[in-house]
Each structure stands twice: as structure tokens, then as C-alpha cells.
Amino acid sequence: MSKLLIGFVKLTGFPVQWLCFRTKVTYRNRVVQSRRIKGSAIVVSNHTAVYDYAVLLFVFFGRILRTQMAELLFQKGLLGPFLKGMGGIRVDRNSHDMGFVRESIGILEKGGVLCVFPEARLARPGEEKPLPFQTSPFYIALESGAPIVPVYTNGSYFQKKRARVRIGTPIDVRAMWNADEDEKTNLTRIAESVRQTVIELGKELEREEA
């Protein structure tokens, strides 16, 4: 990761991303959680397009987002080294290598901010959105103690309609743990609960626009 590269991209890319996305950010409770993130946290968002990463990079301008990314992106020529320099965390979806989990926990233990799109892929035509959330981000949250910051984006990029992002309030997943359930059941339930929170944020956006 290169802090110099990240700083350069944010400063030079800010006017460009504004022209492309014109992102408007709203909040469930701005006093509790604004665009400023203090300490470690895991930003969890729905996934609409490859541009989601760029949008959130500028929404949370004051922090370095260490984002989990699919291995496919790292295999595209110069894009791979660029994403690595930007702090991208490679996730090999077809491998049993859990190195990304250890790396993510290490980042949070040092006070960093992790960004995850738990759907793990883009939805295909006809599939319900958002897709079911993978459980690994919530295992990472439990192990690190970092709160989840739920986010919803409407995916309106390069369109007449502005991109809209809604930020929810932090979620303490450790408080959701049920000692009477096994780990898999707990993680599945927590993942679905956070997914429903993201869906609710999307509905709140729709009501704002109505």
C-alpha cells in the first residue's frame, strides 16, 4: 500500500468523480455516524457495479479504505499493481486460502478501516438484490471487535440521476452473538440481519426521493 498514491488519487480524482457521480450522501443518524469514521470499522455495502469502490473511496475521504477485492481484478494488467498500491486486499473466491481474513483482522487491530461488498459478485439479471451476504466479514468483525458501518448505494453512475449513498449507524456484531447457537448459525443469522439493514437503508432512500 502506498499512502502517497492514495493521497494523489484522492486529490486529483475528486473533481473527476464529482462530474461522473455527483454523489449525494444522507444519514440514518448523522450525529451517531457521519462520513467521518473514528477508529477501526468495517464498511459493509451492497454491490451494484465496479464503480462502488470509487464512490465509497471519496465518500469516506478522510480515511484509507482497505477494500476486499476479487482476484479477477488483480489479473487485469496494470490494474492489479494499482489496486495493490491503493490498499486492495485480494480475495481468491475459488481458493480455500483464508489469508485475506488474517490480513483484514490485522488491519482492524491497528485501527484501520476495512471496506467489504459481502455479496462477493454482481447480481445477474433476474436475481434478487442484494444477493445473500457472505459470512466472512462478520467473522472478521467478531474476531476484531470492530463495528460494522452499513451503507447503501443506488448505483446511479454516469447517469442523469445522481448517485445516492445512505450511511447507517454502527452495528456491534458481538452483541448479536447467541451462545445457544453454533458458529455457522450465528454468522448466517448476523449476515442476514446486516443485509436487511442495508435493504432498509435503500428503502429509506426511495422514500426520500418520492
Side-chain angles (χ1 to χ4, degrees):
M1 182 184 73
S2 170
K3 291 184 179 180
L4 183 62
L5 174 62
I6 294 170
F8 176 79
V9 168
K10 284 189 174 185
L11 288 174
T12 59
F14 190 86
V16 176
Q17 65 85 30
W18 174 252
L19 290 173
C20 293
F21 308 134
R22 297 177 295 116
T23 309
K24 180 177 180 179
V25 182
T26 60
Y27 312 86
R28 174 169 282 182
N29 187 331
R30 190 170 185 172
V31 175
V32 176
Q33 183 62 64
S34 66
R35 296 170 69 163
R36 297 181 63 184
I37 297 177
K38 299 178 180 179
S40 63
I42 305 175
V43 174
V44 169
S45 174
N46 63 310
H47 196 21
T48 69
V50 294
Y51 304 108
D52 296 333
Y53 164 66
V55 168
L56 295 184
L57 184 72
F58 290 98
V59 166
F60 299 102
F61 190 86
R63 296 299 301 270
I64 294 175
L65 294 188
R66 300 295 306 278
T67 305
Q68 292 183 359
M69 302 176 177
E71 75 292 336
L72 183 65
L73 296 174
F74 290 87
Q75 298 168 0
K76 294 183 178 294
L78 296 176
L79 181 61
F82 172 76
L83 293 177
K84 185 176 181 180
M86 291 294 292
I89 302 169
R90 176 171 173 154
V91 180
D92 290 306
R93 294 170 295 178
N94 299 317
S95 170
H96 295 294
D97 181 11
M98 293 291 105
F100 75 95
V101 172
R102 294 188 295 272
E103 183 178 356
S104 298
I105 292 172
I107 289 165
L108 294 166
E109 288 177 342
K110 294 177 181 178
V113 178
L114 186 68
C115 180
V116 183
F117 302 101
E119 293 169 81
R121 65 174 176 84
L122 297 174
R124 301 184 182 96
E127 289 186 314
E128 182 183 3
K129 300 178 184 178
L131 296 170
F133 281 6
Q134 301 296 307
T135 58
S136 59
F138 310 102
Y139 173 81
I140 292 168
L142 287 165
E143 288 295 305
S144 66
I148 298 287
V149 177
V151 172
Y152 180 88
T153 175
N154 68 353
S156 181
Y157 312 140
F158 304 98
Q159 299 178 29
K160 183 177 181 180
K161 183 179 179 181
R162 294 179 65 176
R164 299 285 301 278
V165 172
R166 188 165 179 84
I167 300 174
T169 53
I171 300 170
D172 178 5
V173 296
R174 287 184 172 180
M176 301 171 68
W177 185 267
N178 186 343
D180 295 326
E181 298 176 347
D182 59 29
E183 182 180 83
K184 181 178 180 181
T185 302
N186 265 292
L187 289 172
T188 301
R189 175 176 48 77
I190 291 169
E192 180 56 23
S193 177
V194 176
R195 177 176 175 270
Q196 289 302 321
T197 298
V198 172
I199 290 172
E200 289 168 9
L201 291 173
K203 291 179 179 178
E204 289 168 11
L205 266 187
E206 291 177 0
R207 288 194 292 269
E208 285 182 351
E209 295 176 336

